[in-house]
């Protein structure tokens, strides 16, 4: 892989993003974790809110879980923030951030990508940081005919990125330049090859096949789970429950579903479809009343608004908050 011209292009074209304004490892780390699976524009307000509430590793290590989940609410993949808290404690125990990718990988939630990104951006270590954008640029330049999801192919990409990193380059800038190229020029659809600083070295461009790489893979169909969500209000409070500490959406709050001891009330059901990476929830939200033992706790209006809930339940929360039926005072 030859990437001559990349750094000069990056110096001219890089977007001004809040996490690029300094190289503090904590800030780099927070941004890199948030940016996994989430668009830059969506991350910015989360990033700013998170840093305002938890400005350093010590604050993160001491934060109660409910605060963390609330700060992460809507970003999804909540295990990321749970792992961040674990890693913050590990960092404090060892007296500070490790500086190399190999050491960073010992921390909770640090995979190859995060370790490489933090090591190179915050500590100027020569380490590759291969995200989906970099994989796409590489697969096109080298016309890689295999799935870029295969671990062996990712490792090959990481080796090539490291080999292509100029000896005198700032490793963090180099990695960010490759990622930026993938995010803004070598985009999944309609790559802007005529603006690309590395097109002279790009195999896919030369063959007029840019959009044929990375090779497409058939996506397995996601199973659809259909169920009813019960919106139960008594004395101005809504019934909610906390999900178990492990598994999908661990520790997040939700309205009851898959329960006995409830009776539907006449109402217009509210349909919500929520797509996870591995399955789809097709929910039918109805008003209901308890006819059996209560499972969960009552939350008044303020408590309901403050609870961390994932976006699958957000629409139902809004229905109740806007219903005018909830009052303040008396949560249990
Ligand atoms: Fe991507 Fe086109 Fe640049 Fe090749 S020339 S790296 S396909 S943008």
């Amino acid at each position: 892989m030859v990437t001559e011209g990349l750094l000069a292009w990056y110096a001219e074209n890089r977007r001004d993003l809040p996490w690029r304004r300094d190289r503090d490892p904590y800030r780099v780390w927070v941004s890199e974790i948030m940016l996994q699976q989430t668009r830059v524009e969506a991350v910015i307000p989360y990033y700013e809110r998170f840093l305002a509430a938890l400005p350093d590793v010590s604050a993160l290590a001491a934060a109660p879980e409910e605060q963390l989940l609330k700060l992460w609410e809507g970003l999804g993949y909540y295990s990321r923030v749970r792992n961040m808290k674990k890693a913050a404690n590990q960092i404090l125990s060892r007296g500070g951030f490790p500086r190399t990718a190999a050491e960073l990988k010992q921390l909770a939630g640090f995979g190859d990508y995060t370790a490489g990104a933090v090591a190179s951006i915050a500590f100027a270590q020569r380490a590759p940081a291969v995200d989906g954008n970099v994989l796409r640029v590489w697969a096109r330049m080298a016309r890689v005919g295999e799935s870029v999801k295969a671990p062996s192919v990712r490792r090959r990409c990481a080796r090539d990125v490291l080999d292509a990193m100029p000896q005198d380059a700032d490793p963090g800038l180099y990695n960010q330049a490759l990622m930026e190229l993938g995010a803004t020029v070598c985009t999944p659809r309609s790559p802007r090859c005529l603006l690309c600083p590395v097109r002279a070295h790009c195999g896919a461009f030369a063959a007029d096949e840019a959009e044929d790489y990375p090779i497409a893979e058939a996506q397995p169909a996601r199973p659809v789970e259909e169920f009813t969500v019960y919106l139960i209000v008594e004395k101005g409070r809504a019934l909610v429950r906390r999900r178990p500490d492990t598994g999908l959406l661990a520790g997040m709050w939700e309205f009851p579903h898959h329960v006995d001891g409830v009776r539907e009330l006449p109402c217009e059901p509210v349909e919500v479809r929520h797509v996870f990476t591995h399955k789809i929830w097709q929910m039918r939200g109805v008003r209901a009343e308890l006819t059996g033992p209560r499972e969960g706790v009552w939350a008044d209006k303020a408590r309901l608004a403050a609870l961390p809930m994932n976006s699958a339940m957000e629409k139902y929360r809004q229905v109740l908050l806007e219903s005018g039926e909830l009052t303040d005072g008396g949560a249990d």
Side-chain angles (χ1 to χ4, degrees):
M1 184 158 92
V2 178
T3 51
E4 193 188 318
L6 177 66
L7 283 167
W9 169 85
Y10 184 59
E12 283 282 308
N13 294 282
R14 58 186 273 172
R15 291 169 293 175
D16 177 28
L17 301 173
W19 45 88
R20 287 186 176 159
R21 292 179 195 147
D22 67 51
R23 294 186 157 210
D24 174 72
Y26 177 68
R27 289 165 170 262
V28 172
W29 174 37
V30 171
S31 68
E32 291 299 342
I33 299 289
M34 285 187 173
L35 286 163
Q36 290 166 20
Q37 323 274 353
T38 312
R39 288 174 308 108
V40 161
E41 304 74 40
V43 163
I44 292 172
Y46 280 97
Y47 174 81
E48 289 176 341
R49 211 162 42 232
F50 194 92
L51 284 180
L54 306 172
D56 53 33
V57 175
S58 306
L60 171 57
E65 179 187 285
E66 194 162 302
Q67 182 189 13
L68 290 179
L69 293 175
K70 189 69 184 171
L71 286 165
W72 213 262
E73 186 182 81
L75 272 177
Y77 304 96
Y78 295 91
S79 59
R80 291 183 290 175
V81 74
R82 296 163 162 278
N83 277 331
M84 286 182 76
K85 182 177 163 85
K86 283 187 207 149
N89 281 299
Q90 292 172 306
I91 292 165
L92 290 183
S93 313
R94 67 183 300 290
F97 261 95
R99 299 175 68 88
T100 67
E103 290 171 307
L104 284 159
K105 271 188 73 177
Q106 305 300 314
L107 301 174
F110 275 71
D112 288 332
Y113 169 74
T114 312
V118 174
S120 63
I121 299 170
F123 301 114
Q125 301 278 325
R126 279 180 67 83
V130 174
D131 69 351
N133 287 317
V134 174
L135 275 169
R136 184 170 55 256
V137 171
W138 172 75
R140 286 174 174 169
M141 291 187 76
R143 294 174 79 197
V144 175
E146 301 143 84
S147 164
V148 293
K149 293 200 172 136
S152 61
V153 176
R154 284 176 168 257
R155 283 197 293 275
R156 216 166 75 222
C157 174
R159 278 198 301 274
D160 282 0
V161 166
L162 194 56
D163 287 346
M165 193 183 282
Q167 286 299 333
D168 57 353
D170 176 320
L173 281 183
Y174 186 80
N175 282 335
Q176 290 181 89
L178 262 186
M179 291 188 249
E180 188 82 341
L181 185 68
T184 62
V185 175
C186 194
T187 46
R189 276 173 289 285
S190 308
R192 301 188 298 155
C193 298
L194 294 178
L195 300 176
C196 178
V198 298
R199 69 178 178 278
H201 312 290
C202 178
F205 175 69
D208 197 18
E209 292 175 347
E211 284 201 67
D212 295 343
Y213 296 93
I215 58 165
E217 289 170 274
Q219 295 286 338
R222 297 177 175 120
V224 179
E225 285 178 18
E226 293 182 22
F227 58 89
T228 299
V229 175
Y230 300 103
L231 306 180
I232 302 168
V233 175
E234 272 186 25
K235 297 179 188 156
R237 303 168 307 169
L239 189 61
V240 288
R241 68 182 183 190
R242 187 175 173 276
R243 291 180 65 87
D245 283 330
T246 54
L248 183 67
L249 304 175
M252 299 295 280
W253 289 78
E254 64 182 6
F255 298 102
H257 52 84
H258 295 96
V259 287
D260 297 324
V262 293
R263 178 170 51 232
E264 281 188 40
L265 297 170
C267 65
E268 187 66 36
V270 178
E271 301 277 343
V272 172
R273 184 179 175 84
H274 186 78
V275 180
F276 295 94
T277 44
H278 58 302
K279 65 173 157 185
I280 295 171
W281 278 359
Q282 181 64 50
M283 296 172 287
R284 174 178 165 272
V286 297
R287 295 307 194 93
E289 63 183 6
L290 282 177
T291 57
R294 175 182 59 151
E295 188 199 317
V297 298
W298 296 111
D300 69 0
K301 192 173 180 187
R303 179 81 177 124
L304 181 63
L307 289 171
M309 283 190 161
N310 96 310
S311 33
M313 291 286 154
E314 189 57 42
K315 176 120 188 236
Y316 295 128
R317 169 157 59 187
Q318 291 311 317
V319 165
L320 289 184
L321 289 176
E322 289 164 12
S323 70
E325 294 166 54
L326 300 184
T327 53
D328 278 331
D332 70 13

